[in-house]
Amino acid sequence: MAGTSSSIVAGLTAAAVGAIGLLAYQASATVPAGPGKAPASASPLAKVPRDRRNPLALPAMSGSGERVVYAMDDDRVWLVSDHNRVLRTFGVRPGSVDPLPGAYVVTSRSNAVTGTDGTPIEHVVRFTSVDGVTIGFSAAVDQNAAQVPDPMVRTGGIRETRADGEAMWMFATIGVPVIVMR
């Protein structure tokens, strides 16, 4: 009887270890490569055709489910619900460094900091970095300040109005997907 109990325990232990290994593998396949990196499954998105009758329409092939969609060529962002409904869309002013097209997730947030260009900013939502330059959405605290970018300063801040920045802040929490397209 003692030998049978040992065999059962050994079998259950082996099954549990195998199940944990499988779950660990599946989990690692869905984790982003790390801050500043696109997930391994992210493939560059080619420029997709826009709806010429409705230029504010969500771009085709931008994914599904809850996400932030950023179209670099249009300088436009869409906040999309988990039911694929556009909750808000707005124009943005990008920094001098663009992210690569692909799929990311929000990796960090700051309520208020100073941008790399020296501008006080708020509602900072970061999702990647390029060559050491952090890329994220933010709003300048003083919307009336002269905001002529210094061509000598490499910035990754994608600037939005304060109202749009607050909407982004409420929507884009840590882990929310960010889809970047041309």
Side-chain angles (χ1 to χ4, degrees):
M1 185 87 141
T4 304
S5 295
S6 296
S7 298
I8 291 172
V9 170
L12 289 173
T13 302
V17 169
I20 291 170
L22 175 65
L23 292 173
Y25 170 76
Q26 288 175 334
S28 70
T30 62
V31 173
K37 304 279 188 213
S41 62
S43 60
L45 301 170
K47 182 166 174 62
V48 294
R50 302 293 197 263
D51 183 341
R52 292 178 193 255
R53 290 172 288 165
N54 184 5
L56 301 183
L58 181 66
M61 300 175 12
S62 67
S64 63
E66 181 182 54
R67 65 199 181 280
V68 174
V69 177
Y70 171 42
M72 292 185 292
D73 288 354
D74 297 332
D75 293 334
R76 179 155 292 280
V77 169
W78 291 262
L79 306 180
V80 185
S81 77
D82 58 347
H83 299 295
N84 293 315
R85 187 172 63 90
V86 174
L87 302 174
R88 187 179 188 115
T89 184
F90 49 89
V92 294
R93 195 185 84 239
S96 59
V97 178
D98 286 330
L100 295 173
Y104 303 88
V105 296
V106 174
T107 56
S108 70
R109 298 166 19 115
S110 295
N111 191 36
V113 296
T114 299
T116 54
D117 61 355
T119 302
I121 55 176
E122 64 183 2
H123 299 132
V124 181
V125 175
R126 300 175 197 91
F127 61 92
T128 192
S129 66
V130 174
D131 297 328
V133 177
T134 301
I135 310 291
F137 302 101
S138 63
V141 173
D142 182 358
Q143 297 280 294
N144 296 320
Q147 296 182 19
V148 178
D150 180 346
M152 302 306 289
V153 178
R154 293 172 35 93
T155 62
I158 303 163
R159 295 286 165 80
E160 50 208 5
T161 67
R162 290 186 85 184
D164 293 333
E166 185 167 345
M168 175 72 77
W169 180 257
M170 299 302 292
F171 182 83
T173 56
I174 301 292
V176 167
V178 177
I179 308 302
V180 176
M181 28 194 356
R182 288 263 171 235

